[in-house]
Amino acid sequence: MRPKWDWMVVILVLLNGGCYCCCGCLEQERTALLEIKAWINHPNGSALEFWVKSLDADCCEWMGVTCRTTKGQVTKISLGDLRAYWDWGYLYMNASLFAPFKELKSLDLSVSNLHGSLACEGWSELKNLEELDLSYNELDGVLPPCLSNLSSLQVMDLSYNHFGGNIASSPLVDLISLEYLAFPGNNFQVPNSFASFSNHSNLKFIWGDDNEVTPESAVEMSTPKFQLKFFSMSNCSSKTRKAEYPNFLFYQNDLKFLDLSYNNFSGLFPSWLVENNTGIQTLIMRDNSLVGTPKLHYPAHNLSSIDIASNKLGGTLRTICSIFPNLEHLIMPDNGVVGTIPPCFQNMSRLQYLDLSNNRLSSGKQELLPLFGISLWFLKLSNNSFEGKISAEFFNSSTPLCYVYLDNNHFFGHIPDSASIEYPLLHFFDISNNHFSGMLPRWLGNISSDIDAIDFSKNQFEGSIPEEFCNLLNLDYLTLSENSLSGSIPSCFNSSQSISHVHLHNNKLSGPWTYAFRNNSYLVTLDLRENGLSGPIPEWIGSLPSLSILLLKQNKFDGPLPPQLCLLKELSILDLSNNEFSGPLPLCLSNLNFSTIEPKSFDVFSYAVFLQSFEPIIHDIDKLPLARLLHRKYKWPALIVKEGIEFTTKRLFSTYKGTILDYMSGIDLSCNKFSGEIPAGIGNITALRALNLSHNKLTGTIPATLSNLGQIESLDLSHNNLNGGIPQQLVELHFLSVFSVAYNNLSGKTPEWKNQFGTFDASSYEGNPLLSGPPLTNESIEIEPQSQPIPDGTVNECREDSFLDMQDFFVSFGVSYTMVVVTIAAVLYINLYWRRLWFYFIEELITGCYYFVLDSFRMFSC
Ligand SMILES: *[C@@H]1O[C@H](CO)[C@@H](O)[C@H](O)[C@H]1NC(C)=O
Ligand SMILES: *[C@@H]1O[C@H](CO)[C@@H](O)[C@H](O)[C@H]1NC(C)=O
Ligand SMILES: *[C@@H]1O[C@H](CO)[C@@H](O)[C@H](O)[C@H]1NC(C)=O
Ligand SMILES: *[C@@H]1O[C@H](CO)[C@@H](O)[C@H](O)[C@H]1NC(C)=O
Ligand SMILES: *[C@@H]1O[C@H](CO)[C@@H](O)[C@H](O)[C@H]1NC(C)=O
Ligand SMILES: *[C@@H]1O[C@H](CO)[C@@H](O)[C@H](O)[C@H]1NC(C)=O
Ligand SMILES: *[C@@H]1O[C@H](CO)[C@@H](O)[C@H](O)[C@H]1NC(C)=O
Ligand SMILES: *[C@@H]1O[C@H](CO)[C@@H](O)[C@H](O)[C@H]1NC(C)=O
Ligand SMILES: *[C@@H]1O[C@H](CO)[C@@H](O)[C@H](O)[C@H]1NC(C)=O
Ligand SMILES: *[C@@H]1O[C@H](CO)[C@@H](O)[C@H](O)[C@H]1NC(C)=O
Ligand SMILES: *[C@@H]1O[C@H](CO)[C@@H](O)[C@H](O)[C@H]1NC(C)=O
């Protein structure tokens, strides 16, 4: 796949920059281009080495330069394209450099590291300029008045700079040829009415997110001369005034895309927006404070995408199908919608993407029937009150579902097991935290070899893990935790699978861990906690080169730890607590550094695409070059899936998601039967944040090298048979918030009562009769009658006392989905890397389950 993106990038650059003429460029223009090169390279850069002085050099063929084919005059200069290949330092904006190009029509200075404010000098000469792109620079100040001389300008892009001032008194109001005006991410004040643009009869495209709209009092706007196709003023609410809708929006008959998200608009759903602007195809009103139920007087036949997430909408969905009959994307999570999914959804034959998560929906008497037979490929109903069973029809229907999230509801019953299920497209399947029961569906493994993630956790599934799951070659994430699964872990999980995160904790799995996952080079997380697994850790454990999180807590594993454990160079969290392991702690543990560079959080993202609604606009504004099409605002809700981890210490409570895994590091061997001494080498694992060796049979002294564990937050050596003194150096551990050496045979003085050690009370030291010093009181030779220095450590007893209850160190995993709105345009121009990613993404769309939206990408076939 990879080489192909490069080709596509090359094609893109050629399309933008090439000149296919043979007529040579003008002498004075070549000289002027070399001045631009000198400006870029000042004082001593080495960019644009292909732009050379020699007389026979045809500057029309230089990268970033386009000429008119007949006369050889430069018509386009694009530093934005060059910047993808060369880096350069700050450039202070100087328009005079471009004045010599008399026929210049397009000047692309995007992402060119331009600084300073625009001086007037030079601009007035560029009378023929039709396109000016200054986006993604560090330009500031107000726009200079002489820009109003650019009377031919049709495309003006000022996105993501630091321009300020009132846009109504800027030279933009004189540029009445403008068709495309983009200025998101600046500090402009933008009067609500846009009255000063009312004579811009060609204006079609206004993109002004992340500025400040200033409400105007009593501006009576006559019908403006412009008819917009695209209007976006997201995140522009005034800090001081209540948000008001721009009143020119009453008359925009051509408007196809409208984004007023993140503005704190309040009140009822603005039905007039769709009623009076009848052409709207995409409406984005997410993150406002709208209340009530969307209602219209008559259906909005042209509306295909609506994003009204994160408002305060209530009521039921009953009206949705009648007022928006042709919806393709309905994005309405995080509201207070009640009731059921009404039967009329069956009539929404174009619905592809449905997100109703985080509402208060329920099933009523019906099942999810209304959703059968329509073309949904994304269904997210997480965190509602849906109940009832899921019938075979749900899986059998012709619905091309790829992404199914039914988690956090009250669904119950069996997942139907049907040999006839044809379901090849499923990629994500999350039904966690419901009341499903019965056996796991075997057909999943027989049919869906493309599935990426399965989360069946927190249900009541029983029986064994089907061997068929071993057929899921692309499976990345498998979570079956917190069910009642029994039997052994199928040994067929093997190296041909790319599975990397496995969570089976809290089930009734039993038997030895024989060959499951052997030689799997992708496995990163293996969580088998709280089962009944027994026997030793297999010696082949060393064959898991990526294994980073190994959690075997609370099983019946026994025997000594195999030295092969020390081959797991990526290991960063090791929890073997509450088992029956015995023998000495392996000396080789100190060979592991317990910190890794490889990211461990699961991070898959998928996009729902609004591109369809752009297609008409794209065809309309066809004079814009391909790069500009990409530079449009593509707003996609992206679903980012991360593996979450919670890390709790006694005094600090923090929940981190995803990336915490990248720096979390800990060893928990508590509640076993380990014997012998604590290896001094443990002090070499300096990345450790938690070390728990409590409730074992360890003897000897506490190694002073533990004071090298500079990151450690939790250190528990209690309930062993350690003797000697507590190394005074431990007081240097500045992050320590949990510390216990209770119930050993320690003697001498407690560590000096300062730093973190000033925060530990007597319970950290109790049960050591020969220990004295603060915080132990003088008479603290007290020993609780029943407690013995060496606890007998039956698993049960240990469990009650284990760190989990003490909350010293507590990890738990789960997937978390983060819905973010990604503005792809914001990254496309930044550098080549992102462009590649873009093409990678296109490729994914083509090969993956997005087959259904493929049509929208026709525009990319050059
Ligand atoms: C330019 O080159 C000189 C001499 O080689 C060097 O001292 C100076 O730091 C360079 N300046 C920049 C901005 O790279
Ligand atoms: C801008 O460029 C012109 C032409 O190269 C030059 O004469 C002028 O000095 C430059 N102005 C500044 C402020 O650098
Ligand atoms: C426009 O250009 C003319 C000369 O070409 C100049 O005299 C005038 O000041 C310019 N207008 C503005 C607003 O700068
Ligand atoms: C629009 O044009 C009319 C007639 O030329 C003029 O009277 C009016 O002031 C102009 N409006 C703006 C905002 O420039
Ligand atoms: C809104 O704009 C502010 C800057 O004005 C920015 O910091 C913030 O991230 C934006 N919020 C969203 C949701 O885009
Ligand atoms: C949003 O609007 C509501 C009522 O109109 C107001 O109470 C609230 O403070 C506003 N929130 C923000 C973040 O401006
Ligand atoms: C909608 O447009 C009609 C004319 O097409 C106009 O009479 C009506 O006032 C507009 N609605 C609103 C709320 O402005
Ligand atoms: C809906 O869109 C179609 C073409 O896409 C257009 O012909 C029609 O006029 C639009 N409907 C309305 C009510 O604007
Ligand atoms: C679907 O649409 C048809 C025709 O408009 C209508 O007769 C029928 O009642 C609708 N079905 C549902 C379930 O609303
Ligand atoms: C589920 O919804 C409740 C309230 O609507 C919210 O507090 C909670 O965070 C949501 N849970 C998830 C996992 O989104
Ligand atoms: C710990 O590290 C030190 C210095 O790197 C080394 O000399 C020592 O042998 C190591 N100890 C163990 C037990 O690995």
Side-chain angles (χ1 to χ4, degrees):
M1 259 192 211
R2 270 159 208 272
K4 209 163 161 193
W5 324 332
D6 292 339
W7 273 112
M8 294 183 83
V9 171
V10 170
I11 289 166
L12 178 67
V13 168
L14 285 179
L15 282 174
N16 285 334
C19 163
Y20 306 103
C21 108
C22 44
C23 35
C25 67
L26 301 179
E27 171 67 40
Q28 66 269 33
E29 296 197 335
R30 181 171 48 237
T31 311
L33 284 170
L34 290 171
E35 279 204 39
I36 293 172
K37 177 179 175 182
W39 173 59
I40 287 174
N41 285 325
H42 180 80
N44 38 9
S46 61
L48 314 186
E49 61 268 31
F50 305 122
W51 290 23
V52 290
K53 209 169 191 161
S54 96
L55 271 184
D56 56 350
D58 181 358
C59 66
C60 288
E61 292 186 349
W62 292 353
M63 185 186 264
V65 179
T66 309
C67 295
R68 206 208 320 247
T69 37
T70 48
K71 285 197 187 145
Q73 273 167 305
V74 174
T75 55
K76 174 171 185 186
I77 297 175
S78 171
L79 297 194
D81 282 343
L82 300 174
R83 190 69 202 292
Y85 294 91
W86 291 277
D87 208 356
W88 56 69
Y90 295 155
L91 298 183
Y92 284 91
M93 184 55 209
N94 182 352
S96 303
L97 288 159
F98 304 96
F101 305 98
K102 298 295 174 219
E103 294 296 321
L104 197 62
K105 291 206 169 355
S106 171
L107 181 56
D108 172 3
L109 302 178
S110 61
V111 213
S112 298
N113 213 4
L114 294 175
H115 282 239
S117 27
L118 298 178
C120 235
E121 195 190 351
W123 288 115
S124 303
E125 324 272 326
L126 297 170
K127 288 207 168 53
N128 289 320
L129 206 59
E130 291 172 3
E131 297 182 11
L132 177 59
D133 187 348
L134 297 170
S135 60
Y136 299 100
N137 284 295
E138 305 286 333
L139 297 168
D140 55 24
V142 296
L143 298 173
C146 50
L147 281 182
S148 62
N149 268 338
L150 301 180
S151 52
S152 309
L153 207 61
Q154 295 165 13
V155 173
M156 175 64 134
D157 194 338
L158 303 169
S159 316
Y160 299 100
N161 279 285
H162 311 290
F163 291 120
N166 190 329
I167 212 153
S169 49
S170 78
L172 298 176
V173 302
D174 297 325
L175 302 175
I176 57 167
S177 304
L178 278 182
E179 291 179 26
Y180 176 106
L181 176 60
F183 54 92
N186 283 287
N187 306 315
F188 287 117
Q189 280 102 50
V190 186
N192 197 26
S193 70
F194 280 77
S196 45
F197 290 88
S198 62
N199 283 341
H200 288 54
S201 54
N202 295 327
L203 201 54
K204 300 216 163 4
F205 192 107
I206 296 179
W207 175 14
D209 300 357
D210 305 326
N211 284 284
E212 186 183 356
V213 165
T214 53
E216 285 160 307
S217 47
V219 174
E220 267 310 311
M221 170 94 160
S222 57
T223 316
K225 289 189 181 155
F226 56 74
Q227 281 295 330
L228 298 182
K229 291 182 189 300
F230 181 109
F231 182 70
S232 178
M233 292 294 286
S234 160
N235 193 20
C236 287
S237 52
S238 158
K239 272 131 213 116
T240 51
R241 303 268 302 270
K242 186 164 169 278
E244 281 172 29
Y245 294 97
N247 51 7
F248 72 84
L249 281 176
F250 291 141
Y251 313 99
Q252 297 298 313
N253 302 323
D254 288 347
L255 196 63
K256 297 199 161 79
F257 182 101
L258 177 60
D259 183 351
L260 296 173
S261 56
Y262 296 97
N263 281 322
N264 202 19
F265 284 117
S266 50
L268 294 173
F269 177 80
S271 52
W272 57 271
L273 271 181
V274 265
E275 283 176 348
N276 264 28
N277 305 301
T278 47
I280 290 189
Q281 296 176 347
T282 298
L283 176 63
I284 305 180
M285 292 289 300
R286 67 178 299 134
D287 289 87
N288 282 292
S289 302
L290 301 178
V291 298
T293 312
K295 284 198 183 98
L296 298 180
H297 295 101
Y298 36 87
H301 285 289
N302 281 353
L303 196 76
S304 63
S305 302
I306 188 166
D307 181 350
I308 39 179
S310 306
N311 277 282
K312 297 169 182 160
L313 297 170
T316 66
L317 295 171
R318 218 166 329 141
T319 53
I320 293 283
C321 12
S322 50
I323 64 176
F324 304 130
N326 294 322
L327 273 189
E328 293 168 14
H329 308 101
L330 173 56
I331 301 171
M332 205 173 173
D334 305 309
N335 280 290
V337 182
V338 298
T340 61
I341 296 182
C344 64
F345 267 60
Q346 231 160 358
N347 272 354
M348 297 174 79
S349 55
R350 302 190 186 179
L351 198 62
Q352 301 179 12
Y353 186 106
L354 178 60
D355 184 351
L356 297 171
S357 57
N358 277 321
N359 278 291
R360 289 187 278 128
L361 293 162
S362 55
S363 311
K365 288 197 202 85
Q366 84 218 358
E367 298 175 0
L368 288 176
L369 207 63
L371 301 175
F372 303 153
I374 57 178
S375 52
L376 273 190
W377 57 269
F378 183 102
L379 173 62
K380 189 161 187 233
L381 301 177
S382 315
N383 208 6
N384 279 288
S385 301
F386 287 106
E387 52 198 304
K389 296 182 181 177
I390 293 188
S391 65
E393 223 178 332
F394 181 79
F395 299 100
N396 262 340
S397 66
S398 55
T399 300
L401 278 169
C402 294
Y403 297 86
V404 180
Y405 306 87
L406 305 178
D407 56 292
N408 290 294
N409 280 292
H410 311 296
F411 289 110
F412 61 85
H414 296 198
I415 301 278
D417 207 342
S418 157
S420 65
I421 286 173
E422 282 181 36
Y423 209 56
L425 290 165
L426 205 57
H427 274 228
F428 274 64
F429 193 29
D430 184 350
I431 54 172
S432 62
N433 209 358
N434 280 289
H435 312 293
F436 286 111
S437 57
M439 311 281 274
L440 296 173
R442 291 175 183 274
W443 53 264
L444 208 54
N446 283 340
I447 294 153
S448 306
S449 62
D450 264 349
I451 199 161
D452 292 317
I454 293 175
D455 190 343
F456 286 1
S457 62
K458 301 188 186 168
N459 281 290
Q460 286 131 37
F461 287 111
E462 57 195 14
S464 55
I465 301 174
E467 301 233 328
E468 284 83 351
F469 279 22
C470 300
N471 301 337
L472 299 169
L473 299 186
N474 290 330
L475 192 64
D476 244 324
Y477 187 95
L478 174 65
T479 295
L480 305 174
S481 303
E482 299 184 54
N483 281 291
S484 300
L485 300 172
S486 54
S488 57
I489 308 171
S491 284
C492 60
F493 281 108
N494 62 25
S495 56
S496 62
Q497 283 179 298
S498 58
I499 196 162
S500 41
H501 300 273
V502 178
H503 296 284
L504 303 177
H505 73 79
N506 232 318
N507 277 293
K508 295 174 182 160
L509 299 172
S510 59
W513 175 12
T514 47
Y515 294 112
F517 310 109
R518 187 164 70 146
N519 287 336
N520 187 319
S521 52
Y522 299 95
L523 195 65
V524 172
T525 311
L526 182 58
D527 177 2
L528 305 176
R529 288 173 297 163
E530 297 175 63
N531 277 291
L533 298 165
S534 56
I537 293 181
E539 289 184 358
W540 55 259
I541 186 89
S543 74
L544 301 172
S546 304
L547 192 62
S548 175
I549 300 174
L550 177 59
L551 310 176
L552 304 182
K553 176 189 161 166
Q554 211 159 310
N555 277 285
K556 293 180 188 138
F557 287 112
D558 58 17
L561 297 184
Q564 288 85 347
L565 204 56
C566 305
L567 298 174
L568 301 175
K569 294 293 180 203
E570 297 294 328
L571 206 59
S572 62
I573 301 180
L574 177 65
D575 184 352
L576 306 181
S577 62
N578 279 289
N579 278 289
E580 287 160 33
F581 290 115
S582 56
L585 301 181
L587 293 180
C588 63
L589 270 186
S590 62
N591 297 343
L592 298 178
N593 58 19
F594 275 80
S595 70
T596 60
I597 314 146
E598 288 298 307
K600 288 183 287 287
S601 43
F602 181 59
D603 197 346
V604 167
F605 39 93
S606 61
Y607 298 88
V609 181
F610 278 117
L611 276 176
Q612 277 136 324
S613 52
F614 282 93
E615 213 176 23
I617 311 174
I618 287 162
H619 289 316
D620 282 346
I621 312 181
D622 52 6
K623 72 168 77 138
L624 301 175
L626 182 64
R628 175 145 317 278
L629 295 183
L630 295 179
H631 197 179
R632 251 7 132 55
K633 178 177 151 138
Y634 294 106
K635 270 212 166 185
W636 303 349
L639 185 78
I640 298 184
V641 185
K642 283 181 178 266
E643 183 156 77
I645 182 171
E646 285 169 14
F647 170 59
T648 312
T649 65
K650 207 179 222 163
R651 288 178 185 81
L652 306 167
F653 177 81
S654 357
T655 302
Y656 303 90
K657 288 272 155 63
T659 48
I660 177 67
L661 292 178
D662 298 343
Y663 54 90
M664 181 57 207
S665 168
I667 298 178
D668 190 343
L669 305 180
S670 63
C671 301
N672 279 290
K673 295 173 181 162
F674 289 113
S675 55
E677 302 199 346
I678 300 175
I682 283 190
N684 279 9
I685 315 176
T686 52
L688 275 190
R689 285 167 187 259
L691 176 63
N692 189 345
L693 302 177
S694 68
H695 295 273
N696 277 293
K697 297 178 173 176
L698 299 171
T699 52
T701 57
I702 299 175
T705 55
L706 291 188
S707 65
N708 295 334
L709 302 175
Q711 305 291 318
I712 201 137
E713 294 170 25
S714 172
L715 177 61
D716 190 348
L717 306 176
S718 64
H719 295 273
N720 276 294
N721 202 9
L722 301 170
N723 57 29
I726 301 175
Q728 296 296 319
Q729 297 93 314
L730 294 185
V731 296
E732 285 149 31
L733 299 174
H734 292 289
F735 295 112
L736 203 59
S737 64
V738 176
F739 174 75
S740 179
V741 290
Y743 300 102
N744 278 290
N745 271 341
L746 297 168
S747 55
K749 283 261 183 217
T750 57
E752 203 178 336
W753 212 50
K754 66 171 195 184
N755 300 342
Q756 284 304 95
F757 279 76
T759 68
F760 305 138
D761 59 25
S763 64
S764 294
Y765 303 103
E766 67 193 4
N768 289 287
L770 304 177
L771 205 55
S772 64
L776 294 170
T777 54
N778 281 344
E779 319 86 79
S780 80
I781 315 290
E782 57 174 72
I783 307 171
E784 287 171 39
Q786 84 282 27
S787 61
Q788 298 301 314
I790 310 165
D792 198 29
T794 69
V795 170
N796 271 340
E797 189 184 309
C798 205
R799 245 185 233 174
E800 303 206 348
D801 218 351
S802 78
F803 62 79
L804 189 103
D805 297 318
M806 286 162 59
Q807 287 196 320
D808 283 0
F809 174 49
F810 166 51
V811 270
S812 78
F813 293 85
V815 215
S816 67
Y817 307 105
T818 321
M819 207 63 167
V820 292
V821 173
V822 178
T823 304
I824 290 293
V827 294
L828 267 180
Y829 256 62
I830 301 302
N831 62 30
L832 197 57
Y833 170 76
W834 284 105
R835 289 189 189 191
R836 284 184 187 175
L837 203 64
W838 169 263
F839 286 112
Y840 167 70
F841 177 55
I842 301 300
E843 194 106 4
E844 282 280 286
L845 285 170
I846 291 166
T847 56
C849 122
Y850 294 96
Y851 173 73
F852 298 96
V853 291
L854 184 62
D855 267 5
S856 351
F857 286 90
R858 269 175 301 177
M859 61 182 229
F860 294 104
S861 46
C862 314

